[in-house]
């Protein structure tokens, strides 16, 4: 009698355990049949059941089902953006937690997690394209957890943070990338843009210097640094920077023109003229260089005429005419540069005014009147 009772108790225990595991079993059967919606219903019951929720098999199975749904063009529609990847990831994590990385289901979950990386990344891209930047960041962070050394998910997370104007988070993510020894011109360009958005000139300079340390011959970063020096009124220091930029990009006419302007401001007119000449040699359509060459010759002419006007009669009779003749030559040399500048920028007032004065000095009164009329028209 006792033996029969024990047998009946064992049977009851077996029946109870079977009932407890039936949801997992049903989920696996539905999964194998390809009816993932029914598999989902069953496995969601199982993770709520205190008996089956502590089993690595339950969580591993749940991960597989949600993984499959996310990859399915049919069943994926029943999930929210990123829900499949997120739930699968959490489920595999739970399976590893319960079973360890070397357990039967833990080991399989580790392998599945690696395959889940692309799913998480794609979910992030989908959310990003839908302008759901918070969800995109969550998906990218999940991808980071799956492959901590892969930089793509970090980059995308930084882009999403930028898109929602969360510059602090974007910078923090870029810092993580730098700590991973990641470098790219695009990353430094993004950091520079953030510094500008925040109107932080010191930070912008720091970023450019970091970029140049990583990419010492990058033309864009050289020009950025040069412009910062010029904007800060540090022209003398900028000369060394501009020579480096010219060495890296010798066909950039603007660099020579800027160098000429710096030399002009440093009261080195002859050296400035040489720089302007080089700018025009590289590109005859460089407006600044053409105009400034005109200015150089105009100023030389004006100097001669001023000297002659200040002479007494005896001195003027001796050398005044010669000074004026030399001055006229400088006006003649200024003329083609101003005319070319006007051709390049027909409505530039400074060019029109300068041309008008040169025409007067050269006795071309009709042309001078045309310039006057053009100025009047621009004033209206």
């Amino acid at each position: 009698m006792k033996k029969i009772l024990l047998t009946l108790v064992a049977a009851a225990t077996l029946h109870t355990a079977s009932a407890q595991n039936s949801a997992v079993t049903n989920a696996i059967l539905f999964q194998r049949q390809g009816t993932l919606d029914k598999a989902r219903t069953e496995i969601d019951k199982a993770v709520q059941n205190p008996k089956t929720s502590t089993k690595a098999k339950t969580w591993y199975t749940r991960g597989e089902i949600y993984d499959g749904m996310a990859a399915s063009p049919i069943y994926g529609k029943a999930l929210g953006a990123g829900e499949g990847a997120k739930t699968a990831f959490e489920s595999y994590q739970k399976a590893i937690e319960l079973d360890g990385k070397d357990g039967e289901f833990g080991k399989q979950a580790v392998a599945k997690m690696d395959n889940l990386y692309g799913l998480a990344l794609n979910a992030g891209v989908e959310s990003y394209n839908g302008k759901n930047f918070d969800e995109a960041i969550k998906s990218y962070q999940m991808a980071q957890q799956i492959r901590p050394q892969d930089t793509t998910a970090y980059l995308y997370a930084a882009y999403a943070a930028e898109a929602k104007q969360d510059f602090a988070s974007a910078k923090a993510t870029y810092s993580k990338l730098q700590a991973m020894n990641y470098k790219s011109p695009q990353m430094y360009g993004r950091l520079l843009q953030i510094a500008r958005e925040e109107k932080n000139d010191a930070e912008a300079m720091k970023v450019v210097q970091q970029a140049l340390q990583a990419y010492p011959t990058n033309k864009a970063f050289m020009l950025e640094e040069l412009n910062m020096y010029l904007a800060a009124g540090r022209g003398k220091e900028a000369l060394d920077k501009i020579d480096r930029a010219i060495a890296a990009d010798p066909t950039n006419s603007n660099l020579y023109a800027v160098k000429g302007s710096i030399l002009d401001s440093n009261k080195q007119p002859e050296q400035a003229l040489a720089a302007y000449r080089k700018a025009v040699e590289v590109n005859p359509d460089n407006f600044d260089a053409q105009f400034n060459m005109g200015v150089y010759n105009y100023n030389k002419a004006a100097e001669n005429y001023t000297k002659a006007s200040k002479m007494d009669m005896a001195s003027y009779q001796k050398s005044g005419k010669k000074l004026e003749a030399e001055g006229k030559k400088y006006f003649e040399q200024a003329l083609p540069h101003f005319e070319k500048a006007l051709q390049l920028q027909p409505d530039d007032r400074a060019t029109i005014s300068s041309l008008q004065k040169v025409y007067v000095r050269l006795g071309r009164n009709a042309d001078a009147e045309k310039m006057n009329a053009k100025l009047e028209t621009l004033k209206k």
Side-chain angles (χ1 to χ4, degrees), residues 81-366:
E83 182 186 355
K86 180 176 181 292
T87 306
F89 173 70
E90 291 170 349
S91 300
Y92 289 140
Q93 269 195 324
K94 186 68 176 178
I96 295 167
E97 178 190 321
L98 293 169
D99 206 26
K101 290 186 177 181
D102 296 323
E104 179 188 357
F105 295 103
K107 189 182 291 184
Q108 293 180 71
V110 169
K112 289 285 186 178
M113 285 267 280
D114 191 56
N115 294 333
L116 194 60
Y117 174 83
L119 198 61
L121 205 65
N122 289 337
V125 171
E126 184 181 346
S127 295
Y128 182 93
N129 290 338
K131 300 190 183 305
N132 191 343
F133 303 121
D134 287 325
E135 286 302 317
I137 290 170
K138 288 178 185 176
S139 294
Y140 294 141
Q141 287 173 339
M142 185 197 312
Q144 292 165 22
Q145 287 180 271
I146 297 169
R147 293 188 191 171
Q149 298 308 311
D150 194 302
T151 58
T152 304
Y154 289 92
L155 271 177
Y156 287 5
Y159 297 163
E162 281 187 70
K164 60 177 285 203
Q165 303 286 295
D166 185 355
F167 297 131
S169 294
K171 286 192 291 186
T173 306
Y174 284 128
S175 292
K176 289 177 185 176
L177 280 166
Q178 288 175 299
M180 295 163 66
N181 203 33
Y182 175 85
K183 296 174 185 175
S184 78
Q186 292 78 13
M187 179 186 73
Y188 290 114
R190 294 273 190 165
L191 284 167
L192 182 58
Q193 186 61 37
I194 290 172
R196 284 181 174 147
E197 289 283 349
E198 295 179 333
K199 301 186 183 339
N200 190 333
D201 294 338
E203 181 67 18
M205 178 63 84
K206 179 183 173 183
V207 170
V208 168
Q209 288 173 343
Q210 287 176 340
L212 284 171
Q213 188 174 359
Y215 301 97
T217 60
N218 184 287
K219 298 173 190 176
F221 293 133
M222 284 182 179
L223 290 175
E224 290 288 356
E225 185 184 41
L226 175 61
N227 287 330
M228 288 178 189
Y229 273 89
L230 293 173
R234 298 164 65 179
K236 288 183 180 179
E237 295 170 85
L239 277 174
D240 176 59
K241 308 294 180 185
I242 203 167
D243 284 336
R244 285 177 54 231
I246 287 171
D249 191 7
T251 61
N252 189 330
S253 176
N254 288 329
L255 290 175
Y256 297 103
V258 171
K259 182 177 181 179
S261 296
I262 295 171
L263 291 165
D264 253 341
S265 64
N266 289 348
K267 303 192 184 306
Q268 296 174 270
E270 300 303 324
Q271 292 93 323
L273 179 64
Y276 294 139
R277 279 180 177 153
K278 185 65 179 176
V280 168
E281 177 187 320
V282 172
N283 178 17
D285 290 340
N286 188 306
F287 169 82
D288 289 332
Q290 290 285 8
F291 178 80
N292 285 325
M293 284 183 75
V295 169
Y296 171 87
N297 286 290
Y298 183 96
N299 288 342
K300 294 291 284 185
E303 283 176 24
N304 283 0
Y305 275 95
T306 300
K307 285 180 184 177
S309 69
K310 291 181 179 179
M311 288 178 173
D312 57 39
M313 185 56 68
S315 299
Y316 180 81
Q317 288 176 342
K318 183 179 180 180
S319 54
K321 291 286 185 183
K322 183 180 178 181
L323 279 172
E324 289 177 344
E326 287 178 1
K328 185 178 180 181
K329 286 180 182 178
Y330 279 116
F331 278 131
E332 288 170 346
Q333 289 173 26
L335 184 61
H337 296 295
F338 283 138
E339 288 180 332
K340 178 65 175 179
L342 185 67
Q343 179 188 329
L344 295 168
Q345 293 191 18
D347 294 333
D348 184 73
R349 292 172 182 271
T351 304
I352 298 168
S353 178
S354 299
L355 261 177
Q356 187 269 337
K357 293 171 184 174
V358 172
Y359 284 141
V360 168
R361 287 291 188 175
L362 296 177
R364 293 173 56 173
N365 296 327

Side-chain angles (χ1 to χ4, degrees), residues 46-79:
V47 297
Q48 297 298 322
N49 188 309
K51 297 294 184 182
T52 50
S53 65
T54 59
K55 307 292 185 183
K57 181 180 180 180
T58 303
W59 291 97
Y60 175 76
T61 302
R62 185 176 187 241
E64 277 201 316
I65 291 168
Y66 274 88
D67 198 343
M69 289 186 72
S72 168
I74 297 172
Y75 293 110
K77 294 176 182 177
L79 300 172

